[in-house]
Amino acid sequence: FIEEIRDLIIEAKDLGMRVLVIAGEGEPFLDKNIKSIIKHANNNKLIPYIFTNGSKLDSETIDFVKENEASLIINVDSLDEKLYEKLTGIPSNFQKVYKNIQEVREKFKDTYTRIKNFEIRRIAINTVVSKANIDSLFIPRHCCGEEIGGFEEPLKDFCGEDFVLIYNSPMLIGRAISNENFAITEEIKMKINE
């Protein structure tokens, strides 16, 4: 199986591809071959984009990813610990992921570049906006007890200048199909597009 992946990476390079997206259902850093795949992609001048839940990003893995010119896209659907753990279904995981994200922030801070008018970052936070988390992502602004328009965005503030923030609507596949929290409402569309 790993040889097939290596061959596909070489074929992608020969076709002029520049990026290898590692995403899907499941955590890529659980795959015993992931480091070999990342290294092979980098050696063939493909930039690995790795979508992860952040739980397996220990110090050694973060260093490896950075050294191999990969980009990390870490899924965080809430900064509220209880809500995060409810959404992920993994109890007692928030603090670990939060710590890992802070280490990624620190170790990748020197990877920020600017090309002409474009700011380039190699780390991002990916958030799926749903009925379950929308109120923790977009908090109406208040003054003197009244709404004044606009929203506070705690996750955007958390990202600061270090991470790109990506808001996504849910993909209705797998368990999400029957989960009412993932129904895409007009409110969700409006807040994502603001």
Side-chain angles (χ1 to χ4, degrees):
F1 179 70
I2 188 67
E3 288 307 317
E4 288 177 46
I5 293 173
R6 288 174 187 245
D7 291 345
L8 287 171
I9 288 171
I10 291 169
E11 185 178 340
K13 177 189 87 169
D14 292 344
L15 290 170
M17 303 296 171
R18 300 190 58 200
V19 172
L20 172 68
V21 176
I22 301 171
E25 296 180 32
E27 172 54 42
F29 289 104
L30 290 174
D31 186 320
K32 66 182 181 188
N33 297 308
I34 191 64
K35 288 184 178 179
S36 174
I37 294 166
I38 292 167
K39 189 170 197 63
H40 191 65
N42 184 47
N43 288 343
N44 283 281
K45 307 293 186 238
L46 270 70
I47 303 167
Y49 282 18
I50 307 161
F51 285 77
T52 174
N53 65 23
S55 65
K56 301 298 179 190
L57 293 175
D58 59 31
S59 193
E60 177 190 331
T61 300
I62 295 167
D63 290 339
F64 176 85
V65 167
K66 182 181 176 191
E67 290 164 11
N68 282 277
E69 303 292 323
S71 292
L72 286 171
I73 301 92
I74 305 167
N75 191 66
V76 178
D77 292 334
S78 178
L79 290 176
D80 176 278
E81 185 170 355
K82 288 180 182 172
L83 181 56
Y84 174 90
E85 291 177 358
K86 177 183 172 188
L87 291 168
T88 62
I90 305 170
S92 306
N93 199 41
F94 178 83
Q95 290 300 324
K96 177 182 181 181
V97 171
Y98 187 85
K99 178 187 140 309
N100 293 349
I101 290 171
Q102 295 299 53
E103 187 167 353
V104 167
R105 180 191 306 269
E106 183 61 31
K107 289 188 174 187
F108 273 73
K109 68 182 177 187
D110 62 349
T111 63
Y112 169 88
T113 57
R114 179 182 281 278
I115 300 172
K116 296 185 181 181
N117 292 332
F118 298 99
E119 297 174 353
I120 311 296
R121 289 174 181 74
R122 288 181 35 206
I123 52 178
I125 298 293
N126 181 59
T127 301
V128 177
V129 181
S130 68
K131 288 196 306 188
N133 67 358
I134 193 165
D135 292 333
S136 73
L137 297 174
F138 302 98
I139 302 168
R141 290 197 172 117
H142 288 86
C143 181
C144 305
E146 294 187 30
E147 280 192 35
I148 59 171
F151 300 98
E152 305 271 336
E153 294 181 58
L155 199 52
K156 185 176 184 180
D157 294 339
F158 171 78
C159 289
E161 295 294 317
D162 302 320
F163 291 90
V164 172
L165 176 59
I166 305 162
Y167 287 127
N168 281 307
S169 55
M171 292 180 63
L172 298 178
I173 59 173
R175 293 184 314 190
I177 293 171
S178 60
N179 187 329
E180 68 180 40
N181 285 320
F182 291 122
I184 301 170
T185 65
E186 288 305 313
E187 179 187 23
I188 291 172
K189 288 180 189 175
M190 181 187 77
K191 288 181 179 178
I192 290 174
N193 293 323
E194 279 188 359

